[in-house]
Amino acid sequence: MIGFEFSQFISDESKSKFEQLLDIFMQLLPNTNGDVQETLEWMNQLDKYFNLTNDNYGMGDFIQDLKDKGYLKENELSGEMSLTAKSKQSIRQRSLEEVFNKLKKSKQGEHSTKKTGSGDEINSDIRNYQFGDKLEQIDFTESIRSAQIRHGAESLSLHEDDLQIRETSFKAQTSTVLMIDISHSMILYGEDRITPAKKVAMALSELITTKYPKDTLDIVVFGNDAWTVDINDLPYLQVGPYHTNTVAGLELAMDILRRRKNANKKIFMITDGKPTCLKINGRYYKNAFGLDGKITNRCISLAAQCKKLKIDITTFMIASDPYLQAFVTEFTEMNNGKAYFATLDNLGSFIFKDFESGKRKTVY
């Protein structure tokens, strides 16, 4: 596997030495699968080549500050250091900033539909009271102003005709499952595909938990089998010696979304290869040589089931093989979903633009 080549380090002089080193530390952690010891070893190597520290502030000072400021905790018995919740949240936030910095400057739509009515975000529209409107929708300032205009300030009285209603915009809630392929092909041929996928997952989780707290996000990883991972465990996510059991991933995602009460449900699937595995009666059926109809037909059948359940599937295929694109096209048409043939550089942009655009659709 090809490693990472560092040619030059240009520091941001507006930041303190700790902040400069923290930026590097947070950038390296996803690449080391959250291994603190390995990350610090890399930083020591970088320090030798690029003189990241000086006589006034050394790497030992940085490590101590990481502990003092709550980024690392040390096991008193073994001396082993691990990430704290603060570090994990910081990684997600930085991943979010990194993804959005790559997006072209454009007016991003808010998390709303075109419908008005009983919602949770006040807008500027005012109308007369109608039977059935809720008390909390009444704008008393505008209502009193209306009464003054109608009856005069000296004989002020408030009637039903004076009541003014402040419209609220209905904010659509969405349940999302992000499926990440962790089969061995995600690190084959000297290309690290899993780290960008992890960064996108961390950024998406940070966006949803901070901007859309009423939404839900579940992370499903799939290799020979499929299972969920906690958002806090994303930095530690690793590729295994697995085949690609897309069926298991889809079945688990569907099971999760069936239990969600939100009307809007979607699956984002990041994969770089073809489905190569099924589990039948407790045994694995595998075929890594070309597309196996027994496997692909099951995938397409699940796409149709998702359509019936009104679950949209958006596939992000990190591959350019024509026969794989043909399969993804068929899979997408069966679900009436979307497919992007993304590169590692634009994967995050594609996912975030698709996620945000989905928030602007009118939901009935």
Side-chain angles (χ1 to χ4, degrees), residues 55-94:
D55 292 340
N56 295 322
Y57 192 89
M59 195 59 67
D61 296 314
F62 174 64
I63 295 172
Q64 187 61 48
D65 278 347
L66 286 174
K67 292 187 287 185
D68 293 343
K69 295 177 184 294
Y71 288 97
L72 295 181
K73 55 185 177 182
E74 186 174 7
N75 186 301
E76 295 181 359
L77 296 178
S78 65
E80 184 175 335
M81 286 181 287
S82 58
L83 300 178
T84 63
K86 180 178 180 178
S87 280
K88 295 171 186 176
Q89 196 278 331
S90 181
I91 298 171
R92 295 196 299 269
Q93 179 61 38
R94 288 163 187 265

Short mmCIF file of all heavy atoms in Angstrom, two decimals, residues 55-94:
data_model
loop_
_atom_site.label_atom_id
_atom_site.label_comp_id
_atom_site.label_asym_id
_atom_site.label_seq_id
_atom_site.Cartn_x
_atom_site.Cartn_y
_atom_site.Cartn_z
N ASP A 55 12.52 25.04 20.61
CA ASP A 55 13.04 24.91 21.97
C ASP A 55 12.03 25.38 23.02
O ASP A 55 12.06 24.93 24.17
CB ASP A 55 14.34 25.71 22.12
CG ASP A 55 15.48 25.10 21.30
OD1 ASP A 55 15.36 23.90 20.96
OD2 ASP A 55 16.45 25.81 21.01
N ASN A 56 11.14 26.27 22.62
CA ASN A 56 10.16 26.80 23.58
C ASN A 56 8.94 25.89 23.73
O ASN A 56 8.26 25.95 24.76
CB ASN A 56 9.70 28.19 23.14
CG ASN A 56 10.82 29.21 23.17
OD1 ASN A 56 11.66 29.17 24.07
ND2 ASN A 56 10.85 30.10 22.20
N TYR A 57 8.67 25.11 22.70
CA TYR A 57 7.48 24.24 22.74
C TYR A 57 7.80 22.96 21.99
O TYR A 57 7.89 22.94 20.76
CB TYR A 57 6.27 24.95 22.10
CG TYR A 57 4.94 24.25 22.37
CD1 TYR A 57 4.19 24.55 23.49
CD2 TYR A 57 4.45 23.28 21.50
CE1 TYR A 57 2.98 23.92 23.75
CE2 TYR A 57 3.25 22.64 21.73
CZ TYR A 57 2.51 22.97 22.86
OH TYR A 57 1.32 22.34 23.11
N GLY A 58 7.99 21.88 22.74
CA GLY A 58 8.35 20.61 22.13
C GLY A 58 7.16 19.66 22.03
O GLY A 58 6.04 19.96 22.48
N MET A 59 7.40 18.49 21.45
CA MET A 59 6.33 17.51 21.26
C MET A 59 5.81 17.01 22.61
O MET A 59 4.63 16.71 22.75
CB MET A 59 6.84 16.34 20.41
CG MET A 59 5.73 15.46 19.86
SD MET A 59 4.53 16.35 18.82
CE MET A 59 5.56 16.77 17.40
N GLY A 60 6.71 16.94 23.61
CA GLY A 60 6.27 16.55 24.94
C GLY A 60 5.29 17.55 25.54
O GLY A 60 4.33 17.17 26.23
N ASP A 61 5.53 18.85 25.26
CA ASP A 61 4.59 19.88 25.73
C ASP A 61 3.24 19.72 25.06
O ASP A 61 2.18 19.89 25.69
CB ASP A 61 5.15 21.28 25.41
CG ASP A 61 6.45 21.58 26.15
OD1 ASP A 61 6.49 21.31 27.36
OD2 ASP A 61 7.39 22.07 25.51
N PHE A 62 3.27 19.38 23.77
CA PHE A 62 2.02 19.19 23.03
C PHE A 62 1.22 18.03 23.61
O PHE A 62 0.00 18.13 23.80
CB PHE A 62 2.33 18.95 21.55
CG PHE A 62 1.13 18.60 20.73
CD1 PHE A 62 0.08 19.49 20.55
CD2 PHE A 62 1.03 17.35 20.12
CE1 PHE A 62 -1.03 19.17 19.79
CE2 PHE A 62 -0.08 17.01 19.36
CZ PHE A 62 -1.12 17.92 19.20
N ILE A 63 1.90 16.91 23.88
CA ILE A 63 1.21 15.74 24.43
C ILE A 63 0.61 16.07 25.79
O ILE A 63 -0.53 15.69 26.09
CB ILE A 63 2.18 14.55 24.53
CG1 ILE A 63 2.63 14.11 23.13
CG2 ILE A 63 1.53 13.38 25.26
CD1 ILE A 63 3.74 13.08 23.13
N GLN A 64 1.35 16.80 26.61
CA GLN A 64 0.83 17.18 27.93
C GLN A 64 -0.39 18.09 27.80
O GLN A 64 -1.37 17.96 28.53
CB GLN A 64 1.92 17.87 28.74
CG GLN A 64 1.52 18.15 30.19
CD GLN A 64 1.20 16.89 30.96
OE1 GLN A 64 1.95 15.91 30.91
NE2 GLN A 64 0.06 16.88 31.66
N ASP A 65 -0.32 19.02 26.83
CA ASP A 65 -1.46 19.92 26.61
C ASP A 65 -2.68 19.15 26.12
O ASP A 65 -3.82 19.49 26.48
CB ASP A 65 -1.09 21.00 25.59
CG ASP A 65 -0.32 22.16 26.23
OD1 ASP A 65 -0.30 22.22 27.47
OD2 ASP A 65 0.24 22.98 25.48
N LEU A 66 -2.47 18.12 25.28
CA LEU A 66 -3.59 17.30 24.82
C LEU A 66 -4.32 16.67 26.00
O LEU A 66 -5.55 16.59 26.03
CB LEU A 66 -3.11 16.21 23.87
CG LEU A 66 -2.71 16.63 22.45
CD1 LEU A 66 -2.12 15.44 21.69
CD2 LEU A 66 -3.91 17.19 21.69
N LYS A 67 -3.54 16.24 27.00
CA LYS A 67 -4.14 15.64 28.20
C LYS A 67 -4.78 16.71 29.08
O LYS A 67 -5.91 16.54 29.57
CB LYS A 67 -3.08 14.85 28.97
CG LYS A 67 -2.61 13.60 28.23
CD LYS A 67 -1.68 12.74 29.08
CE LYS A 67 -0.32 13.36 29.23
NZ LYS A 67 0.62 12.46 29.96
N ASP A 68 -4.08 17.82 29.27
CA ASP A 68 -4.59 18.87 30.15
C ASP A 68 -5.86 19.52 29.59
O ASP A 68 -6.75 19.93 30.36
CB ASP A 68 -3.52 19.96 30.35
CG ASP A 68 -2.33 19.46 31.15
OD1 ASP A 68 -2.46 18.40 31.82
OD2 ASP A 68 -1.27 20.11 31.09
N LYS A 69 -5.94 19.62 28.27
CA LYS A 69 -7.10 20.27 27.64
C LYS A 69 -8.23 19.30 27.33
O LYS A 69 -9.23 19.67 26.72
CB LYS A 69 -6.64 20.98 26.36
CG LYS A 69 -5.67 22.13 26.60
CD LYS A 69 -5.21 22.74 25.29
CE LYS A 69 -4.15 23.82 25.51
NZ LYS A 69 -4.68 25.00 26.23
N GLY A 70 -8.08 18.04 27.73
CA GLY A 70 -9.18 17.10 27.62
C GLY A 70 -9.32 16.38 26.30
O GLY A 70 -10.36 15.80 26.01
N TYR A 71 -8.25 16.38 25.47
CA TYR A 71 -8.30 15.67 24.19
C TYR A 71 -7.89 14.20 24.33
O TYR A 71 -8.31 13.37 23.54
CB TYR A 71 -7.40 16.35 23.16
CG TYR A 71 -7.95 17.68 22.67
CD1 TYR A 71 -7.51 18.87 23.23
CD2 TYR A 71 -8.90 17.73 21.66
CE1 TYR A 71 -8.00 20.11 22.79
CE2 TYR A 71 -9.40 18.96 21.21
CZ TYR A 71 -8.94 20.14 21.79
OH TYR A 71 -9.44 21.34 21.36
N LEU A 72 -7.04 13.93 25.32
CA LEU A 72 -6.56 12.56 25.53
C LEU A 72 -6.74 12.18 26.99
O LEU A 72 -6.69 13.03 27.89
CB LEU A 72 -5.07 12.44 25.17
CG LEU A 72 -4.66 12.64 23.72
CD1 LEU A 72 -3.15 12.45 23.58
CD2 LEU A 72 -5.40 11.70 22.79
N LYS A 73 -6.94 10.89 27.23
CA LYS A 73 -6.94 10.37 28.59
C LYS A 73 -5.92 9.23 28.65
O LYS A 73 -5.77 8.47 27.69
CB LYS A 73 -8.32 9.89 29.00
CG LYS A 73 -8.96 8.87 28.08
CD LYS A 73 -10.38 8.56 28.51
CE LYS A 73 -11.05 7.59 27.53
NZ LYS A 73 -12.46 7.31 27.91
N GLU A 74 -5.23 9.13 29.78
CA GLU A 74 -4.16 8.14 29.93
C GLU A 74 -4.53 7.09 30.96
O GLU A 74 -5.00 7.41 32.05
CB GLU A 74 -2.87 8.84 30.34
CG GLU A 74 -1.66 7.93 30.38
CD GLU A 74 -0.38 8.70 30.65
OE1 GLU A 74 -0.45 9.92 30.93
OE2 GLU A 74 0.70 8.08 30.57
N ASN A 75 -4.34 5.83 30.58
CA ASN A 75 -4.57 4.73 31.50
C ASN A 75 -3.46 4.73 32.55
O ASN A 75 -2.28 4.64 32.22
CB ASN A 75 -4.61 3.41 30.74
CG ASN A 75 -5.00 2.23 31.62
OD1 ASN A 75 -4.34 1.94 32.61
ND2 ASN A 75 -6.06 1.55 31.24
N GLU A 76 -3.85 4.84 33.82
CA GLU A 76 -2.86 4.95 34.89
C GLU A 76 -2.00 3.70 35.03
O GLU A 76 -0.84 3.79 35.45
CB GLU A 76 -3.56 5.25 36.21
CG GLU A 76 -4.25 6.61 36.23
CD GLU A 76 -4.91 6.88 37.57
OE1 GLU A 76 -4.82 6.00 38.45
OE2 GLU A 76 -5.49 7.98 37.75
N LEU A 77 -2.55 2.54 34.68
CA LEU A 77 -1.79 1.29 34.84
C LEU A 77 -0.88 1.01 33.65
O LEU A 77 0.30 0.75 33.81
CB LEU A 77 -2.76 0.13 35.05
CG LEU A 77 -3.62 0.18 36.32
CD1 LEU A 77 -4.57 -1.00 36.36
CD2 LEU A 77 -2.72 0.19 37.57
N SER A 78 -1.45 1.10 32.44
CA SER A 78 -0.68 0.75 31.25
C SER A 78 0.02 1.93 30.61
O SER A 78 0.96 1.76 29.82
CB SER A 78 -1.60 0.09 30.21
OG SER A 78 -2.57 1.02 29.74
N GLY A 79 -0.43 3.15 30.94
CA GLY A 79 0.15 4.34 30.31
C GLY A 79 -0.37 4.57 28.91
O GLY A 79 0.05 5.53 28.24
N GLU A 80 -1.29 3.72 28.44
CA GLU A 80 -1.83 3.86 27.08
C GLU A 80 -2.79 5.04 27.02
O GLU A 80 -3.62 5.24 27.91
CB GLU A 80 -2.55 2.58 26.67
CG GLU A 80 -3.06 2.59 25.25
CD GLU A 80 -3.67 1.27 24.84
OE1 GLU A 80 -3.29 0.23 25.44
OE2 GLU A 80 -4.54 1.27 23.95
N MET A 81 -2.68 5.82 25.95
CA MET A 81 -3.54 6.98 25.78
C MET A 81 -4.63 6.71 24.76
O MET A 81 -4.41 5.99 23.78
CB MET A 81 -2.70 8.19 25.35
CG MET A 81 -1.87 8.78 26.49
SD MET A 81 -0.91 10.21 26.01
CE MET A 81 0.37 9.44 25.01
N SER A 82 -5.80 7.28 24.99
CA SER A 82 -6.94 7.09 24.09
C SER A 82 -7.69 8.40 23.93
O SER A 82 -7.49 9.36 24.69
CB SER A 82 -7.88 6.01 24.63
OG SER A 82 -8.35 6.35 25.92
N LEU A 83 -8.54 8.45 22.92
CA LEU A 83 -9.29 9.66 22.61
C LEU A 83 -10.43 9.86 23.60
O LEU A 83 -11.03 8.91 24.08
CB LEU A 83 -9.87 9.58 21.20
CG LEU A 83 -8.89 9.43 20.04
CD1 LEU A 83 -9.63 9.31 18.73
CD2 LEU A 83 -7.94 10.63 20.00
N THR A 84 -10.73 11.11 23.88
CA THR A 84 -11.87 11.45 24.71
C THR A 84 -13.05 11.83 23.81
O THR A 84 -12.90 11.96 22.58
CB THR A 84 -11.55 12.65 25.62
OG1 THR A 84 -11.27 13.79 24.78
CG2 THR A 84 -10.35 12.35 26.49
N ALA A 85 -14.22 12.02 24.41
CA ALA A 85 -15.40 12.45 23.65
C ALA A 85 -15.15 13.80 22.99
O ALA A 85 -15.63 14.07 21.88
CB ALA A 85 -16.61 12.52 24.58
N LYS A 86 -14.37 14.65 23.66
CA LYS A 86 -14.05 15.96 23.10
C LYS A 86 -13.26 15.81 21.80
O LYS A 86 -13.50 16.52 20.81
CB LYS A 86 -13.24 16.77 24.11
CG LYS A 86 -12.85 18.16 23.62
CD LYS A 86 -12.10 18.92 24.70
CE LYS A 86 -11.71 20.32 24.22
NZ LYS A 86 -11.01 21.08 25.28
N SER A 87 -12.31 14.88 21.77
CA SER A 87 -11.51 14.64 20.57
C SER A 87 -12.38 14.13 19.42
O SER A 87 -12.26 14.58 18.28
CB SER A 87 -10.40 13.63 20.85
OG SER A 87 -9.32 14.22 21.49
N LYS A 88 -13.26 13.19 19.73
CA LYS A 88 -14.11 12.60 18.69
C LYS A 88 -15.04 13.65 18.09
O LYS A 88 -15.25 13.67 16.87
CB LYS A 88 -14.90 11.43 19.26
CG LYS A 88 -14.01 10.27 19.71
CD LYS A 88 -14.80 9.22 20.47
CE LYS A 88 -13.89 8.13 21.04
NZ LYS A 88 -14.62 7.15 21.85
N GLN A 89 -15.58 14.52 18.94
CA GLN A 89 -16.45 15.58 18.43
C GLN A 89 -15.65 16.57 17.59
O GLN A 89 -16.12 17.06 16.56
CB GLN A 89 -17.12 16.30 19.60
CG GLN A 89 -18.33 17.17 19.22
CD GLN A 89 -17.94 18.53 18.70
OE1 GLN A 89 -16.90 19.07 19.07
NE2 GLN A 89 -18.78 19.10 17.84
N SER A 90 -14.42 16.83 18.00
CA SER A 90 -13.56 17.75 17.25
C SER A 90 -13.22 17.19 15.88
O SER A 90 -13.19 17.92 14.89
CB SER A 90 -12.28 18.03 18.04
OG SER A 90 -11.44 18.93 17.35
N ILE A 91 -12.98 15.87 15.81
CA ILE A 91 -12.69 15.24 14.51
C ILE A 91 -13.89 15.37 13.59
O ILE A 91 -13.77 15.68 12.40
CB ILE A 91 -12.32 13.76 14.70
CG1 ILE A 91 -11.05 13.61 15.53
CG2 ILE A 91 -12.11 13.08 13.34
CD1 ILE A 91 -10.76 12.19 15.93
N ARG A 92 -15.09 15.13 14.13
CA ARG A 92 -16.31 15.24 13.31
C ARG A 92 -16.49 16.67 12.82
O ARG A 92 -16.84 16.90 11.66
CB ARG A 92 -17.53 14.79 14.11
CG ARG A 92 -17.52 13.32 14.50
CD ARG A 92 -18.89 12.85 14.94
NE ARG A 92 -19.38 13.56 16.11
CZ ARG A 92 -19.19 13.17 17.36
NH1 ARG A 92 -18.46 12.08 17.61
NH2 ARG A 92 -19.69 13.86 18.37
N GLN A 93 -16.26 17.65 13.71
CA GLN A 93 -16.42 19.04 13.33
C GLN A 93 -15.43 19.44 12.24
O GLN A 93 -15.78 20.12 11.27
CB GLN A 93 -16.24 19.94 14.55
CG GLN A 93 -16.37 21.43 14.26
CD GLN A 93 -17.73 21.81 13.72
OE1 GLN A 93 -18.74 21.27 14.16
NE2 GLN A 93 -17.77 22.73 12.77
N ARG A 94 -14.19 18.99 12.37
CA ARG A 94 -13.19 19.31 11.37
C ARG A 94 -13.48 18.63 10.04
O ARG A 94 -13.21 19.18 8.97
CB ARG A 94 -11.79 18.94 11.88
CG ARG A 94 -11.30 19.87 12.98
CD ARG A 94 -10.13 19.30 13.76
NE ARG A 94 -9.79 20.13 14.88
CZ ARG A 94 -8.85 21.08 14.87
NH1 ARG A 94 -8.15 21.28 13.77
NH2 ARG A 94 -8.61 21.81 15.94
#
